[in-house]
Amino acid sequence: MNPTQNQSTIPGALADLTPADILRCAARYLEIRGWTQGSYYASTEDNPFPPACVAGAIGMAAHGRLITLPCNSGSGRREARRARKYLTGYLADTGALTIPANDWQGWPTASDWNDRDGQTAVNVISTLHDAADQWDWTHATEDDLETYAEHEYSQERLPTRAGFLVWRATR
């Protein structure tokens, strides 16, 4: 690359992350650092990795550090937005969020779902994993599906969605 050209602002490790990767990293962040409601992060005094809500955890996964507005700034903004948008769509598809038919300005988000009364860290983490699995399943390449199916047939097993997700995770 010519030094006069604009350099990429996405660190190499983040360049190829899918929404599924970000969602799994966000789930792991919540498992390790803790979960909160009502704000992106719990008190941040003297803690660069505080407990986070679902959006804060997605931001930590995408940026690798605390960003005040995790989906609106920083070099991982695109990845954070894609993951949060996918999660919101997943929640709508599964009925966890109801999207109004006509009022686009009042649509609930993954943050609204996170902040509901009765919501739990276990449910949030589990849903992040489920959404990541759904991304992997719906975005699998034909080559991956064929390779997986051939592998299963060689082992005298029938291919399944669950089997594909395990197989993909081990690659």
Side-chain angles (χ1 to χ4, degrees):
M1 177 178 278
N2 188 325
T4 60
Q5 294 175 316
N6 290 335
Q7 302 292 319
S8 172
T9 59
I10 299 174
L14 297 179
D16 296 327
L17 293 181
T18 67
D21 297 326
I22 297 290
L23 294 175
R24 283 192 186 92
C25 289
R28 186 68 180 140
Y29 183 88
L30 294 176
E31 290 168 348
I32 294 170
R33 298 299 180 167
W35 172 74
T36 190
Q37 290 179 293
S39 63
Y40 291 130
Y41 309 103
S43 175
T44 58
E45 285 186 35
D46 299 325
N47 187 358
F49 299 102
C53 77
V54 72
I58 288 170
M60 291 298 273
H63 299 286
R65 62 187 177 89
L66 192 145
I67 299 283
T68 306
L69 298 172
C71 294
N72 295 327
S73 60
S75 63
R77 175 180 62 239
R78 178 180 172 273
E79 290 76 16
R81 283 185 179 173
R82 281 182 68 205
R84 189 169 173 190
K85 181 179 178 181
Y86 181 78
L87 177 61
T88 298
Y90 174 82
L91 293 169
D93 290 346
T94 60
L97 277 180
T98 303
I99 304 294
N102 298 325
D103 183 17
W104 65 270
Q105 291 181 345
W107 284 14
T109 66
S111 293
D112 297 321
W113 168 79
N114 179 88
D115 293 345
R116 285 185 179 164
D117 290 338
Q119 186 62 276
T120 66
V122 169
N123 186 52
V124 171
I125 292 166
S126 173
T127 301
L128 287 168
H129 284 292
D130 292 345
D133 285 348
Q134 185 64 18
W135 170 275
D136 285 341
W137 178 246
T138 58
H139 292 81
T141 66
E142 189 173 324
D143 287 344
D144 279 348
L145 292 172
E146 286 178 8
T147 302
Y148 163 68
E150 289 172 7
H151 174 266
E152 290 301 289
Y153 291 135
S154 74
Q155 301 294 315
E156 298 183 5
R157 296 186 297 235
L158 292 176
T160 63
R161 177 185 186 271
F164 172 78
L165 294 171
V166 170
W167 175 81
R168 187 190 180 288
T170 61
R171 295 186 67 204

